[in-house]
Amino acid sequence: MRVLITGATGLIGKDIVKLCHRNNIQVNYLTTRKSQISQTENYQGFYWNPKTLEIDTRCFNGVDAIIHLAGASISNRWTPSYKKEILASRTASTALLVNNLKGETHTIKHVISASSIGIYPSSETKYYDENFKTSKTSFLSKVTCAWEHEVDAFKQLNIMVSKIRIGLVLSDKGGVLTEMIKPTKYGVGTVFGCGKQWQSWIHHSDLSQMIFYVLQHKLSGVYNAVAPNPVTNKEFVKSINRVLDKSLFVVKLPKILMRMVLGEMHTILFESQRVSSKKIEDKGFYFEYHHLEPALIDLL
Ligand SMILES: NC(=O)c1ccc[n+]([C@@H]2O[C@H](COP(=O)([O-])OP(=O)(O)OC[C@H]3O[C@@H](n4cnc5c(N)ncnc54)[C@H](OP(=O)(O)O)[C@@H]3O)[C@@H](O)[C@H]2O)c1
């Protein structure tokens, strides 16, 4: 089997590449950085640039499935031009793949695309499953709705589509956890606002295993990629405190201050999404990390 991965050089992509290789699956990947192109038998890189509509279409040769992860980071300041990039790096990249397959002979049967739980409206009381009728309530929900809509275009090419709504990915190699533990070096734990917002997290290895499970079991449709037990922001900070065995001085950072520091991007710290993992569990997927503390012990 051969898969094509976009965003293979990123936090999640690197894990999936490793998992594919461990299972004797060969990997083609698309990258926007020519310096990242390598050409070994089981890891073949190809250049693309969704902004200029360039793509080396040899990337599709012999490919059975696409795992589409590419997207500009949402952790940079959301200036008007960067907001356009956040959106276009997901929608234009998807359209570029679809348009280059349209009318061509190919072997691709399945596309698994990243999506985000940011598609669900912020709520401290709702418990979201995949059937929730999503609406465009925030910048991130608008981006995610547009991204999922674009991904559905693969269906017109008779390609099965799976969309993985990813929660906060916990990793020791970057992402949200690395940022959250930075103040702990100074004995400080930071809670955002009153800390009641839900944070639906997932250990990075469970995420790559889940994406791989969807690939192997040919599961179509939408799946939330979150561990079974989301926690509030306050509980998250307390858990870090316990795992690091530190008596952190907990500081509550008010929304108005974070808005001044980060601009519109501050909203991601205050968004609350309590999200269900039941659908993928009902398909037989087993999470290694159900609860936050064992995941933190593993990572910290
Ligand atoms: N990590 C999380 O907590 C999280 C949560 C929810 C959803 N997601 C989604 O999952 C996907 C992968 O996340 P990640 O954490 O692995 O992200 P990441 O580490 O930032 O990697 C994303 C990859 O996308 C490619 N990329 C960046 N800007 C691009 C652009 N303008 N056009 C095309 N490709 C671009 C880059 O690959 P090249 O430089 O090789 O081109 C990069 O390696 C993203 O779409 C993200 O939105 C992640």
Side-chain angles (χ1 to χ4, degrees):
M1 186 180 198
R2 184 177 285 277
V3 297
L4 170 64
I5 305 180
T6 73
T9 60
L11 187 73
I12 301 169
K14 281 180 186 155
D15 275 352
I16 294 177
V17 170
K18 273 190 210 144
L19 204 50
C20 286
H21 286 163
R22 233 181 281 148
N23 287 278
N24 293 322
I25 293 176
Q26 294 176 318
V27 174
N28 286 5
Y29 64 99
L30 281 163
T31 177
T32 57
R33 289 173 291 166
K34 288 185 175 158
S35 62
Q36 293 291 311
I37 294 176
S38 67
Q39 286 287 342
T40 60
E41 203 199 328
N42 66 357
Y43 192 58
Q44 301 202 351
F46 299 89
Y47 178 73
W48 73 335
N49 185 341
K51 281 183 200 154
T52 56
L53 305 184
E54 282 173 86
I55 182 166
D56 183 342
T57 52
R58 290 173 303 169
C59 67
F60 298 124
N61 290 350
V63 166
D64 301 289
I66 300 178
I67 300 177
H68 180 35
L69 305 169
S73 168
I74 60 160
S75 308
N76 298 334
R77 202 173 177 87
W78 294 1
T79 60
S81 70
Y82 194 66
K83 280 170 78 172
K84 283 186 190 151
E85 185 163 350
I86 289 176
L87 175 67
S89 59
R90 291 168 173 81
T91 53
S93 63
T94 308
L96 188 58
L97 294 171
V98 171
N99 291 336
N100 277 277
L101 287 171
K102 218 176 263 175
E104 300 295 328
T105 307
H106 64 80
T107 49
I108 298 156
K109 295 172 263 321
H110 191 180
V111 169
I112 301 172
S113 177
S115 173
S116 163
I117 62 164
I119 201 164
Y120 300 119
S122 183
S123 165
E124 285 174 9
T125 50
K126 290 205 169 78
Y127 187 37
Y128 293 116
D129 66 22
E130 292 83 347
N131 293 325
F132 182 83
K133 201 158 167 23
T134 54
S135 55
K136 299 170 187 170
T137 51
S138 64
F139 169 63
L140 282 186
S141 64
K142 280 180 201 154
V143 168
T144 318
C145 283
W147 189 10
E148 287 201 359
H149 177 74
E150 208 67 55
V151 169
D152 281 334
F154 283 105
K155 291 180 192 167
Q156 292 158 13
L157 309 180
N158 289 324
I159 297 175
M160 184 169 77
V161 169
S162 315
K163 292 176 275 192
I164 312 295
R165 292 182 179 158
I166 303 171
L168 295 174
V169 180
L170 304 189
S171 165
D172 50 352
K173 304 203 173 56
V176 66
L177 186 62
T178 315
E179 294 306 314
M180 280 181 91
I181 60 164
K182 274 181 186 164
T184 65
K185 279 187 205 142
Y186 309 101
V188 176
T190 46
V191 166
F192 297 107
C194 53
K196 283 188 188 163
Q197 63 276 42
W198 287 98
Q199 299 193 305
S200 295
W201 58 275
I202 183 167
H203 188 293
H204 71 98
S205 77
D206 275 340
L207 174 59
S208 53
Q209 291 287 354
M210 179 179 154
I211 292 174
F212 197 70
Y213 191 86
V214 167
L215 175 72
Q216 282 194 311
H217 291 81
K218 301 183 174 61
L219 302 180
S220 67
V222 179
Y223 293 92
N224 292 329
V226 295
N229 295 286
V231 295
T232 63
N233 174 240
K234 202 170 167 183
E235 191 50 48
F236 207 121
V237 174
K238 277 190 194 164
S239 298
I240 290 177
N241 197 349
R242 279 194 292 270
V243 170
L244 293 178
D245 198 18
K246 284 186 175 180
S247 313
L248 297 178
F249 178 68
V250 177
V251 179
K252 287 188 177 177
L253 297 174
K255 200 169 184 171
I256 191 160
L257 174 71
M258 296 316 293
R259 187 187 293 138
M260 273 158 51
V261 177
L262 299 173
E264 190 185 350
M265 193 185 109
H266 79 283
T267 52
I268 53 181
L269 306 173
F270 294 88
E271 289 250 313
S272 177
Q273 279 107 3
R274 183 166 170 247
V275 176
S276 166
S277 58
K278 189 172 180 300
K279 185 174 173 187
I280 191 69
E281 289 183 284
D282 286 349
K283 293 283 181 188
F285 179 72
Y286 178 78
F287 284 88
E288 189 176 350
Y289 296 96
H290 283 243
H291 293 277
L292 182 60
E293 281 198 26
L296 291 177
I297 289 168
D298 178 65
L299 296 168
L300 297 178

